[in-house]
Amino acid sequence: MKSNSEINIDKFPDRKKLEEIIKDLKSVDLSKISYEKLFFKIHELIILFSTPSTLKAGQYICRGRINEAGQIFYSEREISYQPNNKNIKEFGRANCPGQPLFYGAIPSGRITEPRLVALFETFEILRAGNKLGNLNSFSSFVITTGIWKIKNNFQVADIIFNKQCIENIPEAKEYYKFHVSEIKKLWSDRADDIIHLLEFISDEFAKKRDDIKSDSDYKISVAYTEIVLNMHKLFGVVYPSVSSDLQGYNIALTIPAVEIFLELEQVNMFNVSQTGHGKLSMVCIANAKDLGPLKSNFKWEYINYPDSMHL
């Protein structure tokens, strides 16, 4: 495992070369170059600078999955990461085609209920960038959410240098100040250049849906994820949720992280419906009272009392 202090800063490009590479990366049509070419171009930047953060035992991660009409999920496998690599045909914000990652949500100072972020990220209409007030194509739908508890501390990379994220999320400013302080301690002469690079990378993770013309537009954030996780032996990345207007946090974890550090504790079904005036209501309709051996056989109990959240 390589720490930031072990990085050979002499190999980091000077500011002029750094600006040239970032300019090329911003202007290029990413669909017209291979991921491999892009990966090694980014590697020229020696993007081994990471901003590690510790996820602590006792914290929770939420993930949601939309139920198709009449569909009920009965096992962790059905609501966790995609186990079939062949079904992952496109780049995601952190994954290559064919690479399963566990995407979830964690609380922020702005959105303390991660199920809301999971809803934003899972619901295809919201993911396409429509505003709530324009959702006229449905009356209601069902989403199943799982809550995983962290069993032991582990480290991820904090993608925290996007300016809007820093402004939107109260604690993000403190994380940003901490990481900037650490960078200045280690590399005072090149701190501004490193911060400039990390701002560029964070902006890639914060790309709006309207800026995503194809899945190729995720290649830069994917390459950064691959480099940092492999070189620093981290278990995932935490980045602001685009679908929540950069007010919540998403997390993308490796499969070993899920199987070693997480434990599924709670599974619920919610009915999501429009209440008028561009608002949604999220009402719990069923709880999995028993998850079965190795979380493989959910026993559902349906309820008729309101336990709702409003968006």
Side-chain angles (χ1 to χ4, degrees), residues 13-14 18 46 154 227 304:
D14 62 30
L18 177 64
I46 313 299
F154 65 95
I227 292 170
N304 56 12

Side-chain angles (χ1 to χ4, degrees), residues 12-15 18 189-198:
F12 188 57
D14 62 30
R15 184 59 176 246
L18 177 64
D189 293 342
R190 301 299 309 275
D192 288 345
D193 296 336
I194 295 168
I195 291 167
H196 180 57
L197 171 61
L198 293 173

